[in-house]
Amino acid sequence: MTERRRREYLQLLDAAKVAMETGIDAFNRVWHLYRYQTTLLLLTNAWELLAKAVLVQQKESIARGQRGETISAEIAVHRLQAKKILEQGQVDTIQQVISLRHAACHGVLPEIPAEVMQHLLFYSCKAFRDLIGKQFPAHLKSMSENYLSLSFSDLTTY
């Protein structure tokens, strides 16, 4: 008997949740010299996978080119915005994360204030969870943890 393969959008969703939680973990590590870069890579990966999960669930193609490639994170997020699944403020935050990820991957990440990174992480993660709640409500219960990031700096986000 052949083993039943899990639907593609559910595979994408599961991978997206793991990437997001691993990104949060990377940001919260006490000693991590590549903290911001790792966090940005994983957040971008999480958003790309989640956006693709939504598109695939809605029977929209994520294919690009002739060699099996798929659309980029920017395009996937833009499609969700065009479908009014994501709001402009959410998209602005997500696209900033993606832009900084590109800087980290293709050069040296510029100095980013801690408050900016915390803002991007916080609002990106909240939008991520909100989208799962809207599109995949049965999968929200697995994202009920609270994650604490501690700072000894005087940040206005605390």
Side-chain angles (χ1 to χ4, degrees):
M1 182 190 314
T2 60
E3 189 175 317
R4 184 175 167 182
R5 188 167 173 229
R6 192 161 179 178
R7 292 184 179 143
E8 181 183 14
Y9 77 89
L10 292 173
Q11 292 177 54
L12 291 164
L13 175 61
D14 288 344
K17 291 189 303 186
V18 170
M20 181 59 73
E21 288 185 338
T22 307
I24 294 166
D25 182 61
F27 187 80
N28 284 328
R29 291 223 169 132
V30 174
W31 183 252
H32 194 296
L33 295 177
Y34 218 62
R35 168 187 284 155
Y36 288 178
Q37 294 87 340
T38 304
T39 301
L40 292 165
L41 286 163
L42 289 163
L43 292 182
T44 298
N45 180 236
W47 269 106
E48 181 172 340
L49 294 168
L50 179 58
K52 289 176 179 180
V54 172
L55 295 170
V56 168
Q57 182 194 39
Q58 295 184 351
K59 312 261 188 278
E60 184 171 329
S61 174
I62 58 171
R64 176 184 66 95
Q66 302 299 318
R67 296 179 288 169
E69 304 102 342
T70 60
I71 59 176
S72 67
E74 294 99 332
I75 292 171
V77 168
H78 178 71
R79 287 188 186 173
L80 295 185
Q81 178 187 16
K83 292 173 164 285
K84 307 242 184 283
I85 295 171
L86 288 174
E87 298 171 11
Q88 183 63 50
Q90 294 171 318
V91 171
D92 290 344
T93 299
I94 298 160
Q95 294 294 9
Q96 184 63 57
V97 167
I98 294 169
S99 176
L100 289 170
R101 174 258 175 217
H102 290 334
C105 283
H106 305 294
V108 176
L109 185 67
E111 186 77 25
I112 301 173
E115 261 183 302
V116 171
M117 276 301 296
Q118 287 188 340
H119 173 88
L120 292 173
L121 179 69
F122 179 78
Y123 285 102
S124 177
C125 290
K126 285 194 67 83
F128 186 90
R129 189 174 187 281
D130 290 346
L131 181 57
I132 289 176
K134 282 194 318 192
Q135 298 295 315
F136 309 102
H139 293 266
L140 196 56
K141 65 180 178 261
S142 67
M143 298 194 73
S144 61
E145 295 295 323
N146 291 305
Y147 304 102
L148 174 65
S149 183
L150 176 66
S151 176
F152 295 111
S153 303
D154 292 329
L155 304 175
T156 58
T157 54
Y158 282 93

